[in-house]
Amino acid sequence: MTEKTIYELSQPGRKGFVFPDSDVPAAPLPKAFERGSINLPELSELDVIRHFTNLSRLNYSVDGGFYPLGSCTMKYNPKINEVAVRLPGFSQTHPLQPITSVQGNLYLMYQLQEMLQEISGFHRVTLTPAAGAQGELVGALIIKKFHESNKDTKRVKILIPDSAHGTNPATSAMSGFEVAPLPSDARGNVDLEALKLHCDETLAGLMLTTPNTLGLFDENVIEVIEMVHNAGGLVYGDGANLNALLGIVRPGDLGFDIMHFNLHKTFATPHGGGGPGSGPVGVSERLAKFLPGPIATIVDEGDDDTPPFYGFYTPEESIGRMKAFYGHFGVVVKAFTYIAMHGPDGLRDIGEKAVLNANYLMEKVKEDYYLPYDRTCMHEFVVEGTWKDIPNVHALDISKRLMDYGFHPPTNYFPLVVHEALMIEPTETESKQTLDAFAAAMKAIAKEAREDPGMLNKAPYTTPIRRSDEVKAARDLVLCCWTPDSF
Ligand SMILES: *Cc1c(COP(=O)(O)O)cnc(C)c1O
């Protein structure tokens, strides 16, 4: 990397900021705070602006280009959301303020709960979970508490299809369940015969990623849910990829008992790099008493002259608090803005376009890449990133080469049921021109694989850094190479 650090750019005496004259009497500093030197970098405002602008350009972003990272729904996040969340009434409030002074914020939370209930077909929603995975944990703990409250203590097993998201087995195990994997059938649905064998009195529940990580809607979903219910279990729907179903199917109507939403995927908050996100959880009526609080509610309906008064409650048999204060309120404001802006017809349009874009791209990409589950997909599809006659080219090589063509790589090596998986999710916000350009790059790379496979093994060639040791980068993450003490 050629970018200089801010310490290397420093020039003695250069200044970017002048402190105003003090308007309070000078007072001596406590001795403990005194240091001989703090060796801060010295730069002009222009030096600083250029440094950070250039650094930001080393990174890939949704605002910079196409980002088809499967399962992550890296769609465009409308900037109106940022305007809304910065309104002082939202951004300048404190969670410890008396609720009489933040009625507007409570109104918004209440409205978003109602909107999510309407969209999903669930009876109650809590907004507090911090992200999708924490929503799953809430779901698994509710399944546990439900069976405990029925004194049904033999139920220790959660079923996870092999086409599920990786967080599903993780959160089930964290909640103390045994995780039993379920195979997919030849069409990418849950294998009903395998499911039948598990339907006994030890079954606590099933976690079904919907659509699954193959981008497929389970064609037997109603039967699957009925089989689990008849065996006394509950069904959790991983709703992180609700994009594909918006305005078309309501998971609550299908019979799911619990589901989380990913506000930072489906409802347009920028994500990646650690959040904050938000993973509200919806439940059916019989499970509402277990939800974590605080949940916004109408305390007093008001009348013609007085508006309703809002407050919070926590259900009596709640599994307990999952998050400080009220969850990530900023993400809640963005989701509310996004849903209000689109309205019911707009939401349905999102669902339809997400599915249309994925199918359009799938038809083009499958001309050159093997598509193991060849049927109409939902929001994403999965192809093999290798060929039988070119075994030395791998999904990773194709992904790295895509960066030379200016695209973010798809998700690699997931789901595990597809050999050398490339999981591609275009999202509804991309134009036909962008999809065509990406398909053309995929085609060009398939040609390169035939003509010069060794070249692909060394890609990328045009990025700020070439191929990195990704395991080492993740395990020995160095976030700050330079400190004043490095000098
Ligand atoms: C992203 C995702 C999750 C996890 O959500 P986080 O907010 O990253 O914790 C779970 N399931 C599916 C299907 C996902 O795509």
Side-chain angles (χ1 to χ4, degrees):
M1 207 159 77
T2 54
E3 210 59 36
K4 285 205 166 94
T5 70
I6 208 148
Y7 282 94
E8 289 168 306
L9 292 169
S10 175
Q11 291 294 327
R14 196 169 280 177
K15 281 199 172 69
F17 186 79
V18 182
F19 286 102
D21 291 337
S22 173
D23 57 358
V24 291
L29 261 186
K31 269 272 172 276
F33 293 169
E34 275 182 25
R35 278 174 285 178
S37 154
I38 49 172
N39 193 14
L40 290 175
E42 296 173 77
L43 298 103
S44 68
E45 181 173 315
L46 176 60
D47 293 334
V48 174
I49 293 290
R50 286 209 177 131
H51 175 70
F52 285 108
T53 303
N54 289 334
L55 276 187
S56 77
R57 287 197 190 134
L58 296 178
N59 229 340
Y60 199 91
S61 63
V62 176
D63 287 350
F66 184 48
Y67 208 130
L69 192 66
S71 207
C72 294
T73 313
M74 303 301 283
K75 65 182 180 186
Y76 175 68
N77 304 295
K79 299 300 171 241
I80 183 103
N81 293 349
E82 303 297 326
V83 176
V85 78
R86 279 169 180 72
L87 292 172
F90 298 135
S91 62
Q92 307 290 313
T93 46
H94 191 280
L96 293 179
Q97 248 173 270
I99 57 167
T100 47
S101 69
V102 284
Q103 282 294 301
N105 296 9
L106 270 79
Y107 166 82
L108 183 138
M109 294 172 86
Y110 181 80
Q111 288 298 327
L112 184 65
Q113 290 166 196
E114 296 282 307
M115 287 166 164
L116 294 177
Q117 282 160 208
E118 169 100 30
I119 287 168
S120 63
F122 285 102
H123 178 74
R124 277 286 170 279
V125 164
T126 179
L127 299 177
T128 55
Q134 207 192 29
E136 290 172 39
L137 185 62
V138 166
L141 292 172
I142 288 178
I143 293 176
K144 194 153 203 208
K145 187 125 187 186
F146 171 79
H147 293 307
E148 277 170 10
S149 74
N150 292 336
K151 312 251 179 305
D152 204 352
T153 50
K154 283 202 296 280
R155 300 195 179 268
V156 292
K157 180 175 66 182
I158 294 246
L159 304 178
I160 313 275
D162 57 10
S163 61
H165 196 264
T167 47
N168 295 181
T171 48
S172 302
M174 274 179 80
S175 312
F177 286 112
E178 282 166 28
V179 174
L182 261 189
S184 304
D185 68 14
R187 285 182 62 74
N189 297 320
V190 166
D191 186 325
L192 295 179
E193 290 307 311
L195 173 59
K196 206 175 283 168
L197 297 177
H198 279 294
C199 285
D200 55 27
E201 74 289 346
T202 68
L203 180 61
L206 163 74
M207 269 194 172
L208 196 64
T209 303
T210 312
N212 67 28
T213 63
L214 292 164
L216 301 175
F217 189 81
D218 197 301
E219 295 161 308
N220 309 316
V221 64
I222 301 222
E223 205 176 338
V224 168
I225 292 172
E226 271 175 15
M227 282 167 75
V228 174
H229 281 168
N230 290 341
L234 295 177
V235 185
Y236 183 92
D238 179 331
N241 300 137
L242 195 67
N243 231 36
L245 306 183
L246 277 186
I248 300 165
V249 175
R250 304 199 318 161
D253 296 344
L254 296 176
F256 283 97
D257 300 284
I258 318 170
M259 186 191 85
H260 80 263
F261 308 76
N262 269 50
L263 297 190
H264 49 294
K265 291 178 183 169
T266 312
F267 300 109
T269 277
H271 58 287
S278 177
V281 169
V283 290
S284 60
E285 194 165 0
R286 62 177 169 158
L287 300 177
K289 60 186 175 193
F290 301 120
L291 278 175
I295 298 174
T297 187
I298 296 177
V299 178
D300 181 349
E301 292 283 351
D303 53 35
D304 288 351
D305 302 319
T306 354
F309 186 79
Y310 295 89
F312 288 110
Y313 76 102
T314 295
E316 278 187 9
E317 295 178 56
S318 168
I319 58 163
R321 187 183 263 283
M322 295 299 288
K323 188 77 186 83
F325 298 120
Y326 310 108
H328 291 152
F329 180 66
V331 184
V332 164
V333 174
K334 291 182 199 182
F336 173 89
T337 308
Y338 184 79
I339 295 171
M341 177 175 75
H342 282 283
D345 294 341
L347 292 182
R348 186 180 171 101
D349 195 47
I350 289 168
E352 288 175 350
K353 295 232 167 72
V355 173
L356 179 64
N357 276 2
N359 280 282
Y360 177 77
L361 195 56
M362 180 178 81
E363 288 303 318
K364 295 206 150 206
V365 170
K366 83 177 196 195
E367 290 170 11
D368 303 286
Y369 295 81
Y370 177 58
L371 176 72
Y373 296 92
D374 191 356
R375 64 176 170 100
T376 308
C377 68
M378 299 297 289
H379 60 300
E380 67 192 3
F381 59 95
V382 185
V383 293
E384 284 193 7
T386 190
W387 297 268
K388 283 210 173 58
D389 53 335
I390 324 173
N392 291 333
V393 170
H394 301 281
L396 186 68
D397 301 320
I398 294 162
S399 287
K400 295 292 183 194
R401 185 64 179 147
L402 272 169
M403 295 160 83
D404 286 331
Y405 284 88
F407 296 110
H408 193 283
T411 298
N412 279 215
Y413 300 108
F414 195 81
L416 302 174
V417 283
V418 174
H419 177 56
E420 297 273 346
L422 288 174
M423 184 201 223
I424 300 172
E425 178 181 10
T427 81
E428 75 281 0
T429 53
E430 297 300 332
S431 67
K432 178 172 180 297
Q433 288 70 31
T434 301
L435 301 182
D436 287 342
F438 178 78
M442 289 294 282
K443 188 173 266 311
I445 294 171
K447 189 157 175 271
E448 288 171 346
R450 250 157 244 294
E451 292 168 356
D452 190 2
M455 184 274 285
L456 290 187
N457 298 144
K458 296 202 194 70
Y461 295 91
T462 60
T463 45
I465 55 166
R466 297 281 303 275
R467 233 175 243 221
S468 53
D469 180 342
E470 287 172 10
V471 174
K472 187 171 163 53
R475 294 230 169 110
D476 299 332
L477 189 63
V478 182
L479 285 174
C480 180
C481 328
W482 291 84
T483 66
D485 300 334
S486 327
F487 273 83

